[in-house]
Amino acid sequence: SVNSAERKTTNKISADPETLKLIQRSLNSSLNRLSEQTLESVSKSVASLYSQYPFHDMNDCMWNNIQLACVPPHMVMSKLIPLYIAAVSGVHFLSGDGIQLGGCLVEWSVKRLYDALSKCREGLQSDEDDEYEIINKEASNLMLIVCYMYNYNVFHCTLL
């Protein structure tokens, strides 16, 4: 079963747990090889997974991977986020609009960014400085994700 804390903003996953484990293992295998030199091959590898599994389950697992790797609460991931989003952009463009990856990721990242900023504002009002600083890094990572999705043409400036 997928950890509910990892899936805060995603839709309900419909696949059985064994299929989800296979998807997660395949994604992890591909994304663990991610570097500037392997960007194209990793994008193609992940895009090929979309023909093997339901796209909504793949999108959810992809978002979970992005959150786990790129949105830690304790540090800004300024080096890793561009690589991850470049790979996601490659998958988005290789697979076309049918998988709805770009739209899902924009929606989920903006929703989570809104939630993080709301918590941040609440922290400012209650004078909890430590919590504010941690949430602020989470919001920074999410903002970087949104900015790189725009930079890599996953969505147009009119949506922004």
Side-chain angles (χ1 to χ4, degrees):
S1 150
V2 176
N3 184 349
S4 63
E6 294 173 0
R7 293 184 38 230
K8 288 180 187 173
T9 60
T10 60
N11 295 328
K12 183 175 178 168
I13 293 180
S14 61
D16 65 287
E18 290 303 315
T19 304
L20 292 175
K21 286 179 186 176
L22 285 173
I23 292 171
Q24 203 64 47
R25 245 184 258 132
S26 300
L27 274 175
N28 287 340
S29 173
S30 294
L31 292 172
N32 283 342
R33 299 182 296 117
L34 188 59
S35 70
E36 287 183 20
Q37 293 77 26
T38 62
L39 187 58
E40 184 178 355
S41 66
V42 168
S43 293
K44 288 179 179 178
S45 173
V46 172
S48 71
L49 293 174
Y50 276 87
S51 63
Q52 299 172 26
Y53 301 105
F55 72 88
H56 49 83
D57 296 332
M58 282 293 300
N59 289 348
D60 282 345
C61 287
M62 180 69 98
W63 176 237
N64 289 337
N65 272 20
I66 291 169
Q67 290 180 96
L68 290 172
C70 299
V71 190
H74 57 279
M75 66 189 307
V76 177
M77 304 298 288
S78 59
K79 301 287 185 198
L80 188 61
I81 289 173
L83 278 175
Y84 259 76
I85 301 306
V88 166
S89 300
V91 172
H92 172 74
F93 291 114
L94 287 169
S95 300
D97 290 335
I99 64 167
Q100 303 168 355
L101 176 62
C104 288
L105 293 180
V106 169
E107 177 186 347
W108 294 333
S109 58
V110 169
K111 183 178 180 337
R112 182 144 177 220
L113 175 61
Y114 178 82
D115 293 343
L117 290 173
S118 295
K119 287 180 187 176
C120 193
R121 285 187 200 104
E122 291 170 10
L124 282 175
Q125 293 172 353
S126 65
D127 294 328
E128 295 174 9
D129 292 334
D130 293 337
E131 184 178 341
Y132 166 73
E133 197 169 309
I134 290 173
I135 294 171
N136 195 23
K137 290 178 183 176
E138 179 182 348
S140 296
N141 286 324
L142 291 163
M143 192 66 213
L144 279 172
I145 289 172
V146 171
C147 289
Y148 276 104
M149 281 195 285
Y150 168 72
N151 196 35
Y152 295 141
N153 294 318
V154 173
F155 64 92
H156 192 265
C157 65
T158 56
L159 182 61
L160 191 61

